[in-house]
Amino acid sequence: DPLTCSIGAEISGVNLGDAARDADLFAEIKALLLKHRVLFLRDQDITRAEHVAFARRFGELEDHPVAGSDPDHPGLVQIYRSDKRENYENNYHTDGMWRSTPTMGCVLRSIEVPPVGGDTIWVNMVEAYKNLPEDVKKRIDGLRAKSSIEHSFGAVMSPEDRAKLAAQNPPAEHPVVRIHPETGEKVLYVCSFTTNFANYHTPENVRFGLDKTPGASNLLNYLVSQASIPEYQVRFRWQPNSVAIWDNRSTQHYAVMDYWPAPRKMERAAIIGD
């Protein structure tokens, strides 16, 4: 059941524990994922082992340098928000863009949710690229940009811990327009992790105000802002045991931080990308 015209669909009558064991069922789910980019399922009363086993159908799982994992199920990151108001997901982002091999996709299950609030928004970044003006598409063709974990997750750390995080996770460089490895689609591939272009050259005329070509910072801000356009989005209201599966290569998402001090506990398996 598609939820919007551009992104998202809800699947019913499927248990992901069964999909972890049934190759044909998994193949059907994966095909739907490539089509709709994010899939939602309700009432998934599955074990952590089944959660991990289903996600591993897509590939090996990754750990996270900041968020902790369940000790009995490596790769199952526990995103528990309750006692502290600090949050890292309340901006539009693509998971792991700060890695040299960004996350391929994620399987996120809700354990405990607030009575109201705590929704998550996903964005179709293929659609975002498709609707850019042609002159902007030409300008960003061949551009590359750097992304960093330091200015996001590191923002609430001490200077010493932030420096350690940055040293262990140096900035990664990626194309501004990515080609999806399975569908061949062009994806606008910058987000809140992106700090700067790596190879943007400003014409001399711009410096003297003789050319309307935007400077690097204005262009990057414009590209990042495309994720906030509602026509590219789907918004999901969580219930206990709801699951979202998304293709991280063609989407961004935003965890809405409007529920504190109510608790919100989620568990996520993230798949290593290319």
Side-chain angles (χ1 to χ4, degrees):
D1 180 22
L3 298 183
T4 76
C5 295
S6 64
I7 181 173
E10 188 165 352
I11 296 177
S12 58
V14 170
N15 180 276
L16 293 183
D18 296 334
R21 298 179 287 268
D22 187 327
D24 291 337
L25 179 56
F26 172 78
E28 188 173 356
I29 292 173
K30 184 177 180 181
L32 289 171
L33 180 64
L34 291 174
K35 178 180 179 181
H36 296 286
R37 310 191 195 284
V38 56
L39 303 175
F40 304 107
L41 301 93
R42 301 286 189 185
D43 303 319
Q44 295 298 304
D45 187 14
I46 58 177
T47 66
R48 286 174 171 167
E50 288 175 321
H51 184 166
V52 168
F54 173 77
R56 280 214 172 99
R57 279 279 188 175
F58 291 97
E60 290 302 311
L61 305 185
E62 63 184 25
D63 289 318
H64 196 281
V66 177
S69 294
D70 177 63
D72 297 324
H73 300 90
L76 191 65
V77 174
Q78 297 172 320
I79 308 172
Y80 291 2
R81 302 282 183 254
S82 55
D83 55 333
K84 293 183 180 180
R85 193 169 189 170
E86 298 165 355
N87 197 15
Y88 313 109
E89 297 87 27
N90 59 334
N91 50 41
Y92 291 105
H93 66 283
T94 295
D95 284 334
M97 190 179 282
W98 42 268
R99 299 180 189 267
S100 59
T101 55
T103 310
M104 172 262 156
C106 297
V107 182
L108 179 67
R109 185 168 76 100
S110 53
I111 307 301
E112 183 179 358
V113 298
V116 65
D119 297 354
T120 305
I121 299 168
W122 279 266
V123 191
N124 181 346
M125 298 310 294
V126 173
E127 197 72 11
Y129 173 79
K130 189 183 302 181
N131 289 324
L132 287 175
E134 288 303 317
D135 63 321
V136 174
K137 289 181 180 179
K138 292 178 181 177
R139 188 161 292 129
I140 64 177
D141 183 32
L143 275 185
R144 298 179 65 82
K146 292 189 176 184
S147 294
S148 166
I149 191 176
E150 180 184 1
H151 75 293
S152 53
F153 285 87
V156 297
M157 295 180 173
S158 68
E160 295 77 16
D161 288 342
R162 186 163 56 249
K164 183 178 179 180
L165 180 69
Q168 293 173 343
N169 302 273
E173 184 177 308
H174 301 294
V176 170
V177 181
R178 178 178 183 172
I179 305 300
H180 193 289
E182 294 189 79
T183 67
E185 297 166 306
K186 290 186 176 181
V187 183
L188 181 58
Y189 203 62
V190 293
C191 73
S192 56
F193 287 129
T194 307
T195 57
N196 62 281
F197 295 123
N199 60 335
Y200 184 94
H201 176 67
T202 304
E204 288 294 328
N205 285 345
V206 175
R207 301 179 188 176
F208 300 102
L210 302 177
D211 192 326
K212 294 183 180 180
T213 303
S217 60
N218 289 338
L219 179 57
L220 180 57
N221 289 339
Y222 169 75
L223 295 176
V224 170
S225 74
Q226 299 306 297
S228 64
I229 295 176
E231 284 79 3
Y232 308 153
Q233 299 179 350
V234 63
R235 181 166 177 149
F236 184 66
R237 183 171 185 178
W238 294 95
Q239 299 170 358
N241 288 326
S242 296
V243 169
I245 309 165
W246 69 91
D247 186 339
N248 194 60
R249 301 163 296 187
S250 62
T251 64
Q252 292 187 31
H253 56 283
Y254 184 121
V256 180
M257 182 61 168
D258 59 354
Y259 55 88
W260 188 85
R264 181 179 184 270
K265 297 183 178 181
M266 319 288 281
E267 295 184 348
R268 187 196 71 189
I271 301 100
I272 295 174
D274 62 286

